[in-house]
Amino acid sequence: MTLPALQNTSVLYRRILSQFPQDISLAFAYGSGVFKQNGTSQGQMGKNMLDFVFAVDDPVTWHTMNLMQNRKHYSVLKFLGPRKISRIQEEHGAGVYYNTLIPVDGRIMKYGVISTDSLIDDLLHWKTMYIAGRLHKPVKILVQGENRKMRAALVGNLKSAVTASFLMLPESFSEEDLLLQIAGLSYAGDFRMVIGEDRSKVANIVKENVQHFRILYNNILQECPQVVYKPQQGKLEVDKSPEGQFVQLMALPRTLQQRITRLVDPPGKNRDVEEILLQVAQDPDCGSVVQQGISSIVKSSSITQTAKGIATAGLLKSLSYSTKKLQKMWKGWRMKTP
């Protein structure tokens, strides 16, 4: 199974991709400029920023080429050269280097560059959940190479999202409940949901894109032995026995398991992970513990990546970008106010 491309790549995306170095193992577009969200008209959607992520095997070589082709995209950090830029990308924040507010073909875009190895690590282990979380939701795949590890990691990331969501949901729930839980994973603990993001964002994403979510998750739900999935009725039932929850906890990404053990195990006790997760599986608050573990990952990466973004974007662009986010948050708040 591979992550499906939701639509044929349009001319606009091909034109944009042609302006960048072509050594890309995975490229995808996401966000409100690509997928319609509730409360957004087609006209507004055409004005929203296009968000891209490029995974590259060799960041130094890629940034070298991109600095030659698109030097104006970079902030003052361009004077440090491709090696330093790659070190900033790899060693700080969530392992992503963003250039933002780039005018291209009559639209505005931002793009993040991440190494292929760092992306695979995040998909498998949820080290930061920064890009893995974006890939829990529908994206438009533009380039996907033949890297088998990448393909397996993309599917594994979706399975992890389902497993974590099962642990936080009751025994019986609707398809909409599951999709809202999955879509909200990468926003749990994100400080930008308090300042800078529309708080109804998760519901807005799900409401207009249920069919796209089904394309991503239908096979996983049909094949999962721990859930009864009734797609015609839009209902699901999951095994909430301690044994069932233990199996789910053991299947979670490594970083999340580690965060859960830190929350539960007193300092200095040093029990093994399996023993701690067995204890959590029998706890009535198991779902809450999983939620706290996810929030701790997201909170840390959202703060450090945002701080890095000020340097990679430059102060003026950062202020402009933040202003646009606050305007969207204000608009969302006004729409909910009677």
Side-chain angles (χ1 to χ4, degrees):
M1 177 185 171
T2 61
L3 193 70
L6 299 177
Q7 305 170 30
N8 289 329
T9 305
S10 69
V11 172
L12 172 64
Y13 296 115
R14 291 201 299 271
R15 284 175 62 87
I16 290 172
L17 280 176
S18 71
Q19 299 177 42
F20 292 94
Q22 296 302 294
D23 186 16
I24 294 173
S25 61
L26 180 75
F28 65 88
Y30 65 97
S32 61
V34 180
F35 291 94
K36 193 174 185 302
Q37 295 186 7
N38 189 46
T40 304
S41 68
Q42 285 296 132
Q44 289 171 318
M45 187 178 160
K47 295 175 184 176
N48 287 344
M49 181 153 56
L50 295 169
D51 298 309
F52 287 73
V53 168
F54 303 145
V56 302
D57 291 342
D58 183 348
V60 175
T61 299
W62 197 91
H63 282 296
T64 300
M65 299 295 293
N66 200 42
L67 281 163
M68 288 191 283
Q69 290 178 228
N70 299 301
R71 191 171 181 82
K72 290 181 179 178
H73 292 184
Y74 291 80
S75 70
V76 68
L77 296 183
K78 60 177 167 277
F79 296 110
L80 298 177
R83 289 190 180 279
K84 281 284 178 64
I85 286 172
S86 298
R87 283 187 61 186
I88 291 167
Q89 173 188 310
E90 293 281 345
E91 296 175 9
H92 301 280
V96 196
Y97 190 101
Y98 271 101
N99 286 325
T100 191
L101 296 179
I102 309 298
V104 56
D105 276 53
R107 298 289 295 270
I108 299 294
M109 72 174 290
K110 83 170 187 278
Y111 61 94
V113 184
I114 185 170
S115 75
T116 303
D117 288 344
S118 292
L119 176 55
I120 290 172
D121 187 51
D122 196 35
L123 292 169
L124 291 176
H125 305 303
W126 286 9
K127 185 177 179 182
T128 69
M129 277 184 71
Y130 201 82
I131 302 300
R134 278 152 180 74
L135 285 161
H136 293 158
K137 297 174 278 292
V139 302
K140 182 185 276 291
I141 300 289
L142 306 172
V143 174
Q144 186 171 3
E146 294 302 315
N147 187 321
R148 289 185 180 180
K149 283 181 68 178
M150 173 75 82
R151 289 176 178 269
L154 287 164
V155 177
N157 180 50
L158 298 178
K159 290 180 177 179
S160 294
V162 169
T163 302
S165 296
F166 283 169
L167 285 160
M168 292 185 283
L169 287 164
E171 187 173 5
S172 300
F173 49 90
S174 69
E175 180 186 56
E176 183 182 20
D177 292 334
L178 176 63
L179 298 183
L180 286 168
Q181 190 72 61
I182 289 171
L185 292 175
S186 62
Y187 297 114
D190 189 336
F191 80 100
R192 294 170 301 175
M193 293 302 287
V194 179
I195 300 174
E197 290 284 9
D198 177 2
R199 294 186 194 183
S200 58
K201 184 169 187 170
V202 174
N204 290 344
I205 290 169
V206 171
K207 194 163 186 178
E208 290 287 344
N209 294 287
V210 170
Q211 196 55 43
H212 291 321
F213 275 98
R214 285 176 181 155
I215 292 169
L216 283 178
Y217 290 103
N218 185 64
N219 286 348
I220 290 170
L221 294 172
Q222 295 280 12
E223 295 168 7
C224 179
Q226 290 188 302
V227 68
V228 178
Y229 179 37
K230 305 170 185 174
Q232 300 303 319
Q233 295 100 326
K235 300 291 184 183
L236 300 96
E237 295 173 11
V238 70
D239 183 0
K240 299 299 284 187
S241 69
E243 295 79 11
Q245 293 197 138
F246 178 64
V247 170
Q248 292 161 20
L249 287 163
M250 289 297 291
L252 292 175
R254 184 177 63 203
T255 304
L256 179 52
Q257 290 180 339
Q258 291 168 346
R259 296 296 178 108
I260 290 169
T261 59
R262 283 184 209 167
L263 287 166
V264 174
D265 205 32
K269 204 165 182 184
N270 296 323
R271 293 183 296 165
D272 65 35
V273 172
E274 189 171 335
E275 183 183 350
I276 295 165
L277 294 182
L278 184 58
Q279 175 190 325
V280 174
Q282 299 172 65
D283 190 331
D285 293 324
C286 173
S288 177
V289 175
V290 174
Q291 175 82 36
Q292 289 176 59
I294 292 171
S295 294
S296 70
I297 297 172
V298 174
K299 182 178 181 181
S300 175
S301 64
S302 70
I303 290 171
T304 56
Q305 183 64 35
T306 299
K308 183 169 88 172
I310 295 171
T312 61
L315 187 58
L316 289 177
K317 281 189 175 182
S318 294
L319 287 171
S320 176
Y321 181 69
S322 299
T323 300
K324 291 178 191 298
K325 285 287 187 182
L326 288 167
Q327 286 171 341
K328 284 181 73 176
M329 182 179 75
W330 173 252
K331 180 185 173 186
W333 180 82
R334 285 184 65 189
M335 286 176 66
K336 289 197 296 183
T337 304

